[in-house]
Amino acid sequence: MAEQLMEALMIMALGMGLVFIFLTILIGAVNLVAWKFAPKPNLAPNAEASEAQVTSFLGIDPKMVAVITAAVHQYRAKA
């Protein structure tokens, strides 16, 4: 009985160890791929692009903002 229990514990430890090693390698591979193919940050932002973004924010109708705010408030009040 003791031999069977020891054998079962050894098989369990071997299985858990193999799963741990596989998951560690998998996480390392995913991080390596994410690091390798990550988009590069744009260090020199374009002045024209930032002006276009500011203009688009200024072009929002205040009535539409009020309607969206009321709808979000009503939705949150129901939940």
Side-chain angles (χ1 to χ4, degrees), residues 14-30:
L14 177 66
M16 290 176 67
L18 288 174
V19 168
F20 179 77
I21 290 170
F22 173 76
L23 290 177
T24 303
I25 292 171
L26 183 65
I27 289 171
V30 168

Side-chain angles (χ1 to χ4, degrees), residues 47-62 64-65:
E48 294 174 10
S50 62
E51 286 179 19
Q53 290 174 349
V54 171
T55 306
S56 68
F57 288 128
L58 295 176
I60 298 174
D61 184 22
M64 185 59 70
V65 173

Side-chain angles (χ1 to χ4, degrees), residues 2-16:
E3 289 179 24
Q4 289 178 342
L5 191 57
M6 285 301 294
E7 186 178 349
L9 288 173
M10 291 291 289
I11 291 172
M12 182 187 72
L14 177 66
M16 290 176 67

